[in-house]
Amino acid sequence: SLVWAASPGMLFRKSKDSSLYSLKLSWVFGYNSSLPVYSLMDGKDWVFLYISSHTVVIHDILRNRQYHLQGHTNVISCLCVSEDKRWVVTADRGPEALIMVWDSYSGVPVRTIFESHPEDGVCAIAISQDAKYLVTISAATVQKVSVWRWTLPTEKAMCSIELEPFGGHQDYVIFNPQNPHEFISNSKTQMIFYLWVISHSLHSHTAWLLSPQTFKCLVGQFSQSVFHFNNTQALTGTSAGKLVVWDMDNPRTLPEELPPKPHGITATKVVSLQEESLTVLKVLESCIITGDVKGQVKFYDGQLRLLTIYSHDKVGPIQSISFSKVLRDPPSGFPGSSCPFVTSWSDSSNSVSLTLNRNFILSTSDATMFHVATDSRNFERIMQEAKKAVNAIACHPQEPFVAVGSHCGLLKVWDYKQTQYLISRIFPEAGIQCLSYDPKGCFLAAGFTDGSVYILDAISLQSICEEFQFSQGPVTHISFSHDSNYLATADENYSVIVYKRVLQNGSRCWEHLAGLESHYKPIRCILFGVHSDSNEPRLLSLGEDRQLVEYDLKNSIKDHLVVTHKDRLEQAAVPLCLTWYPQLSTESFFLTANNCYKMKLYNTTTKVCRKTLWGPTYGSPLEKIQILPRTSCADPQQHYLVYITKDKVGLQMLPVDGNPHKSSAFICHPDGASDFAISHDGRYIFTAGGKDHTFMKWKVNLSALDAAAFLGGEDMIPFYSLLDGGREGKFFRELEDYFYYVQLCRQGIDTLEERQVSTHIPLEEIPSVMRAIGFYPSEEEIEEMINEVKFSKYADTGEEVTKINLGDIIKLYINHRPALGLSMKTIQQAFQVLGYDNKKGEKVIDRGDFLSLLQCRGEQMTEDELAECLTTLLARRPSKKESELDTCDPTGAAALTEEEIPAEITAEIFVADILGLPVAE
């Protein structure tokens, strides 16, 4: 097997076939600085292991290559590595949390434990010295500690214990290197000692709880704990720079069963090592090592006597220390120290120098890694990444450059083909929220969290002009016009602000043109285009208020931004993103995606909805969309759409038609993808991870998506599979019956004339068929459906379509029906808004208010329509007197239904008793 034959360094020699997936993770930039970094190889190879979001990255620094271990669907919350650096164990928090054991030699996941802690996942994990056992601590409010033998094929822990919550949240755990049946954990205020045994298949365990009240002095908060190498003591580092020494009874041997009384364990002394807070505590053979908030690494002997210090003024608070496995030969002619990791010798002055014979790496909480050569005391910075959220990303329009900005003010530019860092600039005043290159590649514009806007030189990152400060809130969107003469921004105060490039004193410079608070809810997108009848730029903004606003840049003057059109795009759904649709026909469109998993095509001139389509449904709606630039080898007639959802990045073949096989998506940032950018040649997609502090490079493989679409079937085959039961199911047969029943009704049920069976029905019968099969569109949706079919060929032929066949009815139904079906939750949310709390604490709507809302709000119903509808639903016919009710009398329907409808209507009564729908929770 791959694992059996694996050896160190073999990982990067593997050839990985990427042809199976439309997107392949190619590189990960940034890492989770709150988790440790491990040195897997040193010497001629510098191979480090760290966590980026949900991915384990094995990084060969000197050869500039990465290998990714992918399997988690949530952000990895903790990891540990075996003593021999072969076995890597990772765990995550969230739904369907996993524990995974990886072979670092081959990259193979050798064990996956499901549902280890189903409540909230895992917050701390450790592996024993012999690499046979794991201990995990859950992240739940009531924490559970479990011991696993991962080499056994069982999903059940060997033993477990629940902890009392009063001791604080345990967030660190470590095994006794000399006895895998002992381990300790600590919270900020408490240390717990554990002993576990297996006796007659009965799993026993116990814990000793200690707290700072034991001490008579201020010790600070606990950071990490270790077992002393003398096997009689444990040590805990604190935020006050102290080391708590815990004494245990005589060295323990594993009993056959737990003793009736716990071993004695007491805090015997508190050693004040320094003033600075201790963040890392390790034991390496006969050395005790500490790391602190000032970046110092100190080595002590067993009696806590200081041996040596490694420090550098550029090193921040230390998060982890990892030593190389490779031993360097000490200088010849010098005797060894009593500490096998410390070599001492005397010079001509008989002074003693100490140096380690293992190099080590440091990771800091401000996202920086250092390689420390212990013989020369040389600190070499390996990586310096964003220490706050990465929300801004943009690709150069002509060169293989990608710019990334973070909330810590760090702006970095990379050559993504060579994966080399090029240049950076730090803005200490505020965080970077959005970035955009101009189409000519001369400028890079940056929007900041304090509302400022910088226009920079795209190569040097130096400011072209003074920063602008016209936004009263964080700048959320920024974009250039096609001719690089306009720059538009949107901010959290719902304003659109435009800047213009003008000629002043013989040179071009940027100035503020005008701004406008054009929306009353968050702006989702600003989009530049080109007017069809001229080369003038066209600017649109889309907001969660469902408004699409178009601006007249040509006639806008200083401090006055002119609006030409303001159109409402949606009736109930919220539009989330907008882009120009490729010219696939004679008619021009722009494409939107909303929060109901629908994509819509609108005519660019009339803003009329021309088509509604079922979009990708991968757990959350599309957040941002862009058309993929065509590569030189791509089919010139084929276009693709790139999108991100809350946590995924995906591709969609165009034209969009509702076929699910034409799209694919991959998890990119489980904690939320904030933005994405596409390389100018369409070969790479870059996703920014927001609060996971990373961004990722994905290689595009269009042939894989084309193959998936081809295998999904042609014509109607993909759509039949979306019907309940498919082509041979009961639903299809009912739909077919309704289709032909419409023809019978139009010819007269009782007619004796010869029937004319057709493959088409008139467009006006579409609403009847839709309602008969359980889809209840609004009047506006009905109008959109009919117009979609009626004008489908108008731009090409100038003629209207008047009839529709069964296949198009199915497509229309699939694309327009609710993507996730009817939901009781949606109705309950409506009652939360419209109702009030009755005496029982239920959300209810008064019967009179209910009837009034139907007649006065939204798509208003007349009195006759309401009476007919309710009597049909309640299975009774109105009397002659009732049918003659004055349509202006608002009490008519109430009198008609007083007996059938209760005075107070709950969501459940409305669904079950009035509508008669079997809506599941």
Side-chain angles (χ1 to χ4, degrees), residues 533-547:
D533 55 351
S534 69
N535 198 38
E536 291 295 321
R538 185 179 183 185
L539 177 62
L540 302 99
S541 66
L542 178 68
E544 291 183 10
D545 53 8
R546 304 181 179 88
Q547 298 293 323

mmCIF file with all atom_site columns, all heavy atoms in Angstrom, residues 533-547:
data_model
loop_
_atom_site.group_PDB
_atom_site.id
_atom_site.type_symbol
_atom_site.label_atom_id
_atom_site.label_alt_id
_atom_site.label_comp_id
_atom_site.label_asym_id
_atom_site.label_entity_id
_atom_site.label_seq_id
_atom_site.pdbx_PDB_ins_code
_atom_site.Cartn_x
_atom_site.Cartn_y
_atom_site.Cartn_z
_atom_site.occupancy
_atom_site.B_iso_or_equiv
_atom_site.pdbx_formal_charge
_atom_site.auth_seq_id
_atom_site.auth_comp_id
_atom_site.auth_asym_id
_atom_site.auth_atom_id
_atom_site.pdbx_PDB_model_num
ATOM 1   N N   . ASP A 1 533 ? -25.042 52.381 -27.638 1.00 0.00 ? 533 ASP A N   1
ATOM 2   C CA  . ASP A 1 533 ? -25.040 53.326 -28.757 1.00 0.00 ? 533 ASP A CA  1
ATOM 3   C C   . ASP A 1 533 ? -23.865 54.301 -28.708 1.00 0.00 ? 533 ASP A C   1
ATOM 4   O O   . ASP A 1 533 ? -23.801 55.238 -29.493 1.00 0.00 ? 533 ASP A O   1
ATOM 5   C CB  . ASP A 1 533 ? -26.353 54.109 -28.776 1.00 0.00 ? 533 ASP A CB  1
ATOM 6   C CG  . ASP A 1 533 ? -26.634 54.802 -27.445 1.00 0.00 ? 533 ASP A CG  1
ATOM 7   O OD1 . ASP A 1 533 ? -25.890 54.535 -26.477 1.00 0.00 ? 533 ASP A OD1 1
ATOM 8   O OD2 . ASP A 1 533 ? -27.587 55.598 -27.369 1.00 0.00 ? 533 ASP A OD2 1
ATOM 9   N N   . SER A 1 534 ? -22.952 54.099 -27.746 1.00 0.00 ? 534 SER A N   1
ATOM 10  C CA  . SER A 1 534 ? -21.783 54.970 -27.653 1.00 0.00 ? 534 SER A CA  1
ATOM 11  C C   . SER A 1 534 ? -20.708 54.227 -26.875 1.00 0.00 ? 534 SER A C   1
ATOM 12  O O   . SER A 1 534 ? -20.896 53.093 -26.447 1.00 0.00 ? 534 SER A O   1
ATOM 13  C CB  . SER A 1 534 ? -22.135 56.299 -26.959 1.00 0.00 ? 534 SER A CB  1
ATOM 14  O OG  . SER A 1 534 ? -22.421 56.064 -25.585 1.00 0.00 ? 534 SER A OG  1
ATOM 15  N N   . ASN A 1 535 ? -19.587 54.886 -26.702 1.00 0.00 ? 535 ASN A N   1
ATOM 16  C CA  . ASN A 1 535 ? -18.503 54.295 -25.922 1.00 0.00 ? 535 ASN A CA  1
ATOM 17  C C   . ASN A 1 535 ? -18.450 54.874 -24.519 1.00 0.00 ? 535 ASN A C   1
ATOM 18  O O   . ASN A 1 535 ? -17.454 54.740 -23.810 1.00 0.00 ? 535 ASN A O   1
ATOM 19  C CB  . ASN A 1 535 ? -17.158 54.519 -26.632 1.00 0.00 ? 535 ASN A CB  1
ATOM 20  C CG  . ASN A 1 535 ? -16.085 53.573 -26.120 1.00 0.00 ? 535 ASN A CG  1
ATOM 21  O OD1 . ASN A 1 535 ? -16.361 52.406 -25.838 1.00 0.00 ? 535 ASN A OD1 1
ATOM 22  N ND2 . ASN A 1 535 ? -14.867 54.082 -25.980 1.00 0.00 ? 535 ASN A ND2 1
ATOM 23  N N   . GLU A 1 536 ? -19.534 55.528 -24.110 1.00 0.00 ? 536 GLU A N   1
ATOM 24  C CA  . GLU A 1 536 ? -19.584 56.148 -22.792 1.00 0.00 ? 536 GLU A CA  1
ATOM 25  C C   . GLU A 1 536 ? -19.783 55.085 -21.717 1.00 0.00 ? 536 GLU A C   1
ATOM 26  O O   . GLU A 1 536 ? -20.517 54.110 -21.915 1.00 0.00 ? 536 GLU A O   1
ATOM 27  C CB  . GLU A 1 536 ? -20.721 57.165 -22.721 1.00 0.00 ? 536 GLU A CB  1
ATOM 28  C CG  . GLU A 1 536 ? -20.503 58.401 -23.575 1.00 0.00 ? 536 GLU A CG  1
ATOM 29  C CD  . GLU A 1 536 ? -19.312 59.223 -23.091 1.00 0.00 ? 536 GLU A CD  1
ATOM 30  O OE1 . GLU A 1 536 ? -19.128 59.333 -21.863 1.00 0.00 ? 536 GLU A OE1 1
ATOM 31  O OE2 . GLU A 1 536 ? -18.557 59.723 -23.949 1.00 0.00 ? 536 GLU A OE2 1
ATOM 32  N N   . PRO A 1 537 ? -19.157 55.233 -20.548 1.00 0.00 ? 537 PRO A N   1
ATOM 33  C CA  . PRO A 1 537 ? -19.348 54.255 -19.458 1.00 0.00 ? 537 PRO A CA  1
ATOM 34  C C   . PRO A 1 537 ? -20.757 54.318 -18.884 1.00 0.00 ? 537 PRO A C   1
ATOM 35  O O   . PRO A 1 537 ? -21.401 55.372 -18.874 1.00 0.00 ? 537 PRO A O   1
ATOM 36  C CB  . PRO A 1 537 ? -18.302 54.660 -18.427 1.00 0.00 ? 537 PRO A CB  1
ATOM 37  C CG  . PRO A 1 537 ? -17.971 56.072 -18.724 1.00 0.00 ? 537 PRO A CG  1
ATOM 38  C CD  . PRO A 1 537 ? -18.163 56.261 -20.194 1.00 0.00 ? 537 PRO A CD  1
ATOM 39  N N   . ARG A 1 538 ? -21.190 53.188 -18.413 1.00 0.00 ? 538 ARG A N   1
ATOM 40  C CA  . ARG A 1 538 ? -22.519 53.034 -17.830 1.00 0.00 ? 538 ARG A CA  1
ATOM 41  C C   . ARG A 1 538 ? -22.353 52.473 -16.416 1.00 0.00 ? 538 ARG A C   1
ATOM 42  O O   . ARG A 1 538 ? -21.592 51.524 -16.220 1.00 0.00 ? 538 ARG A O   1
ATOM 43  C CB  . ARG A 1 538 ? -23.325 52.072 -18.695 1.00 0.00 ? 538 ARG A CB  1
ATOM 44  C CG  . ARG A 1 538 ? -24.778 51.884 -18.318 1.00 0.00 ? 538 ARG A CG  1
ATOM 45  C CD  . ARG A 1 538 ? -25.430 50.916 -19.283 1.00 0.00 ? 538 ARG A CD  1
ATOM 46  N NE  . ARG A 1 538 ? -26.846 50.748 -18.997 1.00 0.00 ? 538 ARG A NE  1
ATOM 47  C CZ  . ARG A 1 538 ? -27.646 49.896 -19.626 1.00 0.00 ? 538 ARG A CZ  1
ATOM 48  N NH1 . ARG A 1 538 ? -27.149 49.123 -20.597 1.00 0.00 ? 538 ARG A NH1 1
ATOM 49  N NH2 . ARG A 1 538 ? -28.935 49.806 -19.311 1.00 0.00 ? 538 ARG A NH2 1
ATOM 50  N N   . LEU A 1 539 ? -23.006 53.056 -15.443 1.00 0.00 ? 539 LEU A N   1
ATOM 51  C CA  . LEU A 1 539 ? -22.841 52.649 -14.048 1.00 0.00 ? 539 LEU A CA  1
ATOM 52  C C   . LEU A 1 539 ? -24.181 52.243 -13.439 1.00 0.00 ? 539 LEU A C   1
ATOM 53  O O   . LEU A 1 539 ? -25.171 52.966 -13.572 1.00 0.00 ? 539 LEU A O   1
ATOM 54  C CB  . LEU A 1 539 ? -22.224 53.780 -13.225 1.00 0.00 ? 539 LEU A CB  1
ATOM 55  C CG  . LEU A 1 539 ? -22.059 53.518 -11.715 1.00 0.00 ? 539 LEU A CG  1
ATOM 56  C CD1 . LEU A 1 539 ? -21.116 52.346 -11.452 1.00 0.00 ? 539 LEU A CD1 1
ATOM 57  C CD2 . LEU A 1 539 ? -21.561 54.773 -11.006 1.00 0.00 ? 539 LEU A CD2 1
ATOM 58  N N   . LEU A 1 540 ? -24.186 51.063 -12.788 1.00 0.00 ? 540 LEU A N   1
ATOM 59  C CA  . LEU A 1 540 ? -25.382 50.569 -12.099 1.00 0.00 ? 540 LEU A CA  1
ATOM 60  C C   . LEU A 1 540 ? -25.000 50.140 -10.685 1.00 0.00 ? 540 LEU A C   1
ATOM 61  O O   . LEU A 1 540 ? -23.865 49.723 -10.428 1.00 0.00 ? 540 LEU A O   1
ATOM 62  C CB  . LEU A 1 540 ? -26.000 49.380 -12.833 1.00 0.00 ? 540 LEU A CB  1
ATOM 63  C CG  . LEU A 1 540 ? -26.428 49.566 -14.282 1.00 0.00 ? 540 LEU A CG  1
ATOM 64  C CD1 . LEU A 1 540 ? -25.351 48.999 -15.205 1.00 0.00 ? 540 LEU A CD1 1
ATOM 65  C CD2 . LEU A 1 540 ? -27.750 48.865 -14.557 1.00 0.00 ? 540 LEU A CD2 1
ATOM 66  N N   . SER A 1 541 ? -25.957 50.210 -9.785  1.00 0.00 ? 541 SER A N   1
ATOM 67  C CA  . SER A 1 541 ? -25.781 49.682 -8.434  1.00 0.00 ? 541 SER A CA  1
ATOM 68  C C   . SER A 1 541 ? -27.014 48.868 -8.067  1.00 0.00 ? 541 SER A C   1
ATOM 69  O O   . SER A 1 541 ? -28.140 49.198 -8.449  1.00 0.00 ? 541 SER A O   1
ATOM 70  C CB  . SER A 1 541 ? -25.560 50.807 -7.419  1.00 0.00 ? 541 SER A CB  1
ATOM 71  O OG  . SER A 1 541 ? -26.711 51.624 -7.300  1.00 0.00 ? 541 SER A OG  1
ATOM 72  N N   . LEU A 1 542 ? -26.784 47.787 -7.335  1.00 0.00 ? 542 LEU A N   1
ATOM 73  C CA  . LEU A 1 542 ? -27.850 46.880 -6.926  1.00 0.00 ? 542 LEU A CA  1
ATOM 74  C C   . LEU A 1 542 ? -27.826 46.759 -5.416  1.00 0.00 ? 542 LEU A C   1
ATOM 75  O O   . LEU A 1 542 ? -26.763 46.516 -4.820  1.00 0.00 ? 542 LEU A O   1
ATOM 76  C CB  . LEU A 1 542 ? -27.655 45.507 -7.574  1.00 0.00 ? 542 LEU A CB  1
ATOM 77  C CG  . LEU A 1 542 ? -28.658 44.417 -7.206  1.00 0.00 ? 542 LEU A CG  1
ATOM 78  C CD1 . LEU A 1 542 ? -30.044 44.759 -7.763  1.00 0.00 ? 542 LEU A CD1 1
ATOM 79  C CD2 . LEU A 1 542 ? -28.192 43.065 -7.742  1.00 0.00 ? 542 LEU A CD2 1
ATOM 80  N N   . GLY A 1 543 ? -28.993 46.902 -4.783  1.00 0.00 ? 543 GLY A N   1
ATOM 81  C CA  . GLY A 1 543 ? -29.075 46.839 -3.329  1.00 0.00 ? 543 GLY A CA  1
ATOM 82  C C   . GLY A 1 543 ? -30.035 45.784 -2.844  1.00 0.00 ? 543 GLY A C   1
ATOM 83  O O   . GLY A 1 543 ? -30.844 45.238 -3.602  1.00 0.00 ? 543 GLY A O   1
ATOM 84  N N   . GLU A 1 544 ? -29.936 45.483 -1.560  1.00 0.00 ? 544 GLU A N   1
ATOM 85  C CA  . GLU A 1 544 ? -30.866 44.541 -0.945  1.00 0.00 ? 544 GLU A CA  1
ATOM 86  C C   . GLU A 1 544 ? -32.272 45.116 -0.847  1.00 0.00 ? 544 GLU A C   1
ATOM 87  O O   . GLU A 1 544 ? -33.205 44.406 -0.469  1.00 0.00 ? 544 GLU A O   1
ATOM 88  C CB  . GLU A 1 544 ? -30.355 44.133 0.439   1.00 0.00 ? 544 GLU A CB  1
ATOM 89  C CG  . GLU A 1 544 ? -29.098 43.270 0.392   1.00 0.00 ? 544 GLU A CG  1
ATOM 90  C CD  . GLU A 1 544 ? -28.649 42.811 1.762   1.00 0.00 ? 544 GLU A CD  1
ATOM 91  O OE1 . GLU A 1 544 ? -29.421 42.995 2.734   1.00 0.00 ? 544 GLU A OE1 1
ATOM 92  O OE2 . GLU A 1 544 ? -27.535 42.284 1.879   1.00 0.00 ? 544 GLU A OE2 1
ATOM 93  N N   . ASP A 1 545 ? -32.427 46.376 -1.167  1.00 0.00 ? 545 ASP A N   1
ATOM 94  C CA  . ASP A 1 545 ? -33.768 46.972 -1.243  1.00 0.00 ? 545 ASP A CA  1
ATOM 95  C C   . ASP A 1 545 ? -34.465 46.605 -2.547  1.00 0.00 ? 545 ASP A C   1
ATOM 96  O O   . ASP A 1 545 ? -35.527 47.136 -2.858  1.00 0.00 ? 545 ASP A O   1
ATOM 97  C CB  . ASP A 1 545 ? -33.683 48.489 -1.105  1.00 0.00 ? 545 ASP A CB  1
ATOM 98  C CG  . ASP A 1 545 ? -32.696 49.117 -2.094  1.00 0.00 ? 545 ASP A CG  1
ATOM 99  O OD1 . ASP A 1 545 ? -32.200 48.398 -2.985  1.00 0.00 ? 545 ASP A OD1 1
ATOM 100 O OD2 . ASP A 1 545 ? -32.418 50.324 -1.975  1.00 0.00 ? 545 ASP A OD2 1
ATOM 101 N N   . ARG A 1 546 ? -33.838 45.715 -3.347  1.00 0.00 ? 546 ARG A N   1
ATOM 102 C CA  . ARG A 1 546 ? -34.369 45.205 -4.616  1.00 0.00 ? 546 ARG A CA  1
ATOM 103 C C   . ARG A 1 546 ? -34.328 46.249 -5.733  1.00 0.00 ? 546 ARG A C   1
ATOM 104 O O   . ARG A 1 546 ? -34.928 46.056 -6.784  1.00 0.00 ? 546 ARG A O   1
ATOM 105 C CB  . ARG A 1 546 ? -35.803 44.677 -4.457  1.00 0.00 ? 546 ARG A CB  1
ATOM 106 C CG  . ARG A 1 546 ? -35.956 43.591 -3.396  1.00 0.00 ? 546 ARG A CG  1
ATOM 107 C CD  . ARG A 1 546 ? -37.392 43.098 -3.300  1.00 0.00 ? 546 ARG A CD  1
ATOM 108 N NE  . ARG A 1 546 ? -37.514 42.046 -2.313  1.00 0.00 ? 546 ARG A NE  1
ATOM 109 C CZ  . ARG A 1 546 ? -37.752 42.243 -1.022  1.00 0.00 ? 546 ARG A CZ  1
ATOM 110 N NH1 . ARG A 1 546 ? -37.882 43.493 -0.574  1.00 0.00 ? 546 ARG A NH1 1
ATOM 111 N NH2 . ARG A 1 546 ? -37.846 41.230 -0.190  1.00 0.00 ? 546 ARG A NH2 1
ATOM 112 N N   . GLN A 1 547 ? -33.648 47.349 -5.494  1.00 0.00 ? 547 GLN A N   1
ATOM 113 C CA  . GLN A 1 547 ? -33.598 48.416 -6.483  1.00 0.00 ? 547 GLN A CA  1
ATOM 114 C C   . GLN A 1 547 ? -32.327 48.318 -7.315  1.00 0.00 ? 547 GLN A C   1
ATOM 115 O O   . GLN A 1 547 ? -31.224 48.147 -6.787  1.00 0.00 ? 547 GLN A O   1
ATOM 116 C CB  . GLN A 1 547 ? -33.645 49.785 -5.791  1.00 0.00 ? 547 GLN A CB  1
ATOM 117 C CG  . GLN A 1 547 ? -34.909 50.045 -4.988  1.00 0.00 ? 547 GLN A CG  1
ATOM 118 C CD  . GLN A 1 547 ? -36.143 50.152 -5.852  1.00 0.00 ? 547 GLN A CD  1
ATOM 119 O OE1 . GLN A 1 547 ? -36.087 50.701 -6.956  1.00 0.00 ? 547 GLN A OE1 1
ATOM 120 N NE2 . GLN A 1 547 ? -37.258 49.631 -5.372  1.00 0.00 ? 547 GLN A NE2 1
#
